Amino acid sequence: MKLIVFQSDKGDCLLVEGDDGKTVLTDGGMAKTYSNHVAPFLNNMQQNGKELDAVYVSHIDEDHISGVLQMMDDAVEWRIYDYQTTTGGNPNFKQPDVLRPPQVDRVWHNAFHEQVADNTGDIEDMLAATVAVLAGGDSQRFLRMAQFHQDVATSINQAINLSRKLGEKQLDIKLNPEAKGKLMMLRRQQNGKYNPPIKIGKMKWILIGPTEADLKELRKEWDKWLVKNQKALARIDENARRAERNLGNSLANEVGQIVNVANKQAELLAYSLLDQLDSSKKKVLGLRRNVTAPNLASLMFLTEEKNAQGKTKTILLTGDGHHEDILKGLELQNKIKLNETLFVDVLKIPHHGSEHNSDREFYKKIIADHYVFCGNGAHENPDLDIMKAVIESRLVPEHQGVHPKINQPFKLWFNSFPQNPEAEKKDNDHLEK
């Protein structure tokens, strides 16, 4: 089994290839890096008659889904071209100026509308309204908040577009066939065990998250978020209108006071929505409450394949999930027991090495020959304290778990570099550290 790790801006993009040539694309990174770094590789696959046996989208965040959406956009362009030049009787139809991706057999992706039921439109509208309010604030915190909400709004839009692209009217690609087109999650079977492995050639893809309880909790979180934002924005609107009614005739004074009132309310909203962005607070690794709802819904897999020598190779693919959910999923699938240390050949570090998604205990319980960090330094990921936790879990006895391979050599892999011309200077400077 082979893992190919692509440059993918601040996101994830990996290709898992089995010994028999079967392939699964794991996330797509950002659209631009997909076109620059991933599309040429996939086009070479296509020209050699290979297909993608599955495309696995861990969750809806833009830095994971937008590259996959770009691939599907490219596929639609080529589908139109093929139709026009054959069935359509238009041999002079212009050939697309994008590279042709390989055929995709199936996609594993928990569609946003499935996760939030009937609230999709309301959440989209509320995100747009929140962005507008926060962008009017006069502090860096407001601008960061506005950018965060804009990113979530963009991700949701891309997730909805991806679902439409996969439908029978466009590409007709199977979506979650193992779950009969519904949400992929850990489900207890009649025999008391959880989901059986999904077989892609000789590879076994063992689902470890999310659980049904996680997705129910996620839906409740979105509902609470929606109610909280509706009330907060209603207060801002009412206060602004009250200020407007009480003001004199001076237009400049009127505008200034309205903005003042709105900013004070926006500050309250900002503090209630994203406390984790407050850098003045003491850092605590692995706080689950600081992980966003979409990240907690990450699809996660332990991938296994027995090689020609009869040895099982393993890759742990964690998306942007949280370490508690990763360990819980491994326990439910009987891959790790309490107080045990699990060895995998490759560990994809959760959420680009964010401080919120893992802690020292996680790296005592999961060790690997190869640790893969996806990200280009954006948002100061990989976090330096997480890097320290990974390294010390192998080199410092007091931070080590108990396992026969604990003192063997290991490698850290990165999909970007400090001189990356596609990254911002501040992000390259962080990677240099």
Side-chain angles (χ1 to χ4, degrees):
M1 187 162 56
K2 178 165 61 177
L3 181 68
I4 299 164
V5 186
F6 296 101
Q7 282 192 59
S8 49
D9 198 281
K10 60 184 178 180
D12 285 9
C13 186
L14 314 98
L15 184 78
V16 182
E17 183 175 348
D19 285 348
D20 55 3
K22 297 291 185 180
T23 55
V24 177
L25 182 70
T26 300
D27 290 321
M30 297 291 280
K32 184 176 180 180
T33 44
Y34 167 82
S35 297
N36 290 345
H37 302 290
V38 188
F41 185 95
L42 296 183
N43 177 251
N44 187 59
M45 281 179 56
Q46 187 272 331
Q47 291 187 32
N48 288 316
K50 294 188 68 176
E51 69 171 33
L52 284 169
D53 296 280
V55 172
Y56 149 45
V57 182
S58 62
H59 62 295
I60 69 168
D61 278 355
E62 183 184 24
D63 56 336
H64 294 253
I65 198 172
S66 64
V68 175
L69 181 60
Q70 183 63 56
M71 178 175 68
M72 297 305 172
D73 284 342
D74 296 349
V76 168
E77 284 199 43
W78 279 99
R79 180 71 63 88
I80 293 170
Y81 172 77
D82 291 341
Y83 173 81
Q84 289 290 335
T85 54
T86 54
T87 309
N90 189 1
N92 296 320
F93 191 82
K94 184 181 177 182
Q95 182 171 304
D97 58 3
V98 294
L99 294 172
R100 185 195 288 263
Q103 185 72 28
V104 175
D105 179 65
R106 73 190 79 176
V107 170
W108 300 329
H109 161 57
N110 283 341
F112 182 74
H113 63 84
E114 289 280 354
Q115 295 182 47
V116 300
D118 299 327
N119 285 341
T120 303
D122 290 338
I123 289 172
E124 286 184 280
D125 293 342
M126 191 56 58
L127 281 164
T130 309
V131 170
V133 169
L134 294 174
D138 56 2
S139 76
Q140 195 62 33
R141 181 181 179 83
F142 293 161
L143 295 177
R144 292 205 312 272
M145 289 284 296
Q147 184 58 55
F148 171 83
H149 283 80
Q150 183 60 59
D151 289 346
V152 175
T154 300
S155 300
I156 290 171
N157 184 262
Q158 290 173 338
I160 292 168
N161 282 337
L162 178 59
S163 296
R164 289 171 179 157
K165 287 272 186 295
L166 299 177
E168 59 182 19
K169 292 184 179 179
Q170 293 195 42
L171 292 172
D172 196 19
I173 295 173
K174 292 177 285 188
L175 175 64
N176 298 348
E178 295 80 5
K180 299 180 180 178
K182 298 296 183 182
L183 292 172
M184 291 185 72
M185 66 180 88
L186 272 173
R187 291 183 173 92
R188 187 188 291 272
Q189 311 295 298
Q190 288 186 344
N191 59 8
K193 296 181 179 180
Y194 285 81
N195 309 45
I198 300 170
K199 294 184 179 180
I200 302 289
K202 295 179 180 178
M203 293 185 288
K204 293 180 179 179
W205 286 71
I206 300 164
L207 183 67
I208 62 166
T211 63
E212 186 173 9
D214 289 335
L215 287 176
K216 284 181 178 178
E217 189 61 32
L218 172 67
R219 187 171 290 181
K220 283 197 292 185
E221 285 298 313
W222 274 116
D223 288 341
K224 286 192 291 185
W225 181 90
L226 194 58
V227 170
K228 181 190 294 184
N229 279 265
Q230 284 172 336
K231 289 180 178 178
L233 289 176
R235 285 199 307 271
I236 292 169
D237 185 60
E238 175 56 31
N239 285 336
R241 290 177 185 278
R242 185 181 300 119
E244 191 175 28
R245 288 193 299 268
N246 294 335
L247 285 169
N249 294 325
S250 167
L251 180 61
N253 187 43
E254 180 179 341
V255 171
Q257 290 199 39
I258 291 172
V259 170
N260 246 357
V261 171
N263 278 349
K264 287 179 181 177
Q265 293 298 321
E267 184 172 5
L268 293 174
L269 177 64
Y271 277 97
S272 69
L273 291 177
L274 275 186
D275 273 346
Q276 70 264 34
L277 286 183
D278 189 348
S279 58
S280 67
K281 292 188 176 182
K282 183 180 178 182
K283 181 187 288 187
V284 178
L285 297 182
L287 286 179
R288 195 175 187 273
R289 66 172 180 268
N290 289 344
V291 183
T292 64
N295 289 345
L296 291 176
S298 288
L299 264 176
M300 301 181 290
F301 289 94
L302 176 67
T303 304
E304 300 179 343
E305 185 183 55
K306 191 172 288 188
N307 63 18
Q309 291 74 41
K311 184 177 180 181
T312 299
K313 294 291 185 179
T314 51
I315 302 174
L316 183 55
L317 296 163
T318 59
D320 282 2
H322 189 265
H323 73 268
E324 293 174 5
D325 303 319
I326 296 166
L327 293 172
K328 179 170 65 177
L330 289 168
E331 289 173 11
L332 292 176
Q333 290 285 24
N334 292 317
K335 293 298 177 180
I336 190 172
K337 294 180 181 177
L338 196 65
N339 300 322
E340 278 190 356
T341 295
L342 174 70
F343 169 82
V344 294
D345 291 281
V346 180
L347 169 60
K348 204 287 293 184
I349 300 294
H351 196 193
H352 325 296
S354 167
E355 66 192 86
H356 303 307
N357 292 66
S358 55
D359 63 4
R360 285 187 173 275
E361 285 302 307
F362 178 70
Y363 298 106
K364 286 178 71 171
K365 292 183 177 180
I366 308 287
I367 64 169
D369 278 346
H370 305 279
Y371 298 85
V372 175
F373 292 84
C374 292
N376 65 352
H379 309 300
E380 297 190 346
N381 288 331
D383 182 83
L384 298 181
D385 287 323
I386 293 296
M387 296 289 308
K388 188 176 181 181
V390 171
I391 294 167
E392 291 186 347
S393 73
R394 303 299 299 274
L395 300 182
V396 180
E398 66 186 272
H399 296 302
Q400 290 179 340
V402 178
H403 195 278
K405 297 187 177 184
I406 195 70
N407 293 313
Q408 290 186 4
F410 61 97
K411 291 184 181 181
L412 310 182
W413 299 84
F414 302 84
N415 71 339
S416 190
F417 55 101
Q419 298 79 33
N420 186 350
E422 298 178 3
E424 295 185 28
K425 182 181 183 304
K426 63 180 177 61
D427 300 335
N428 281 336
D429 288 346
H430 180 73
L431 273 191
E432 183 67 38
K433 294 178 186 179

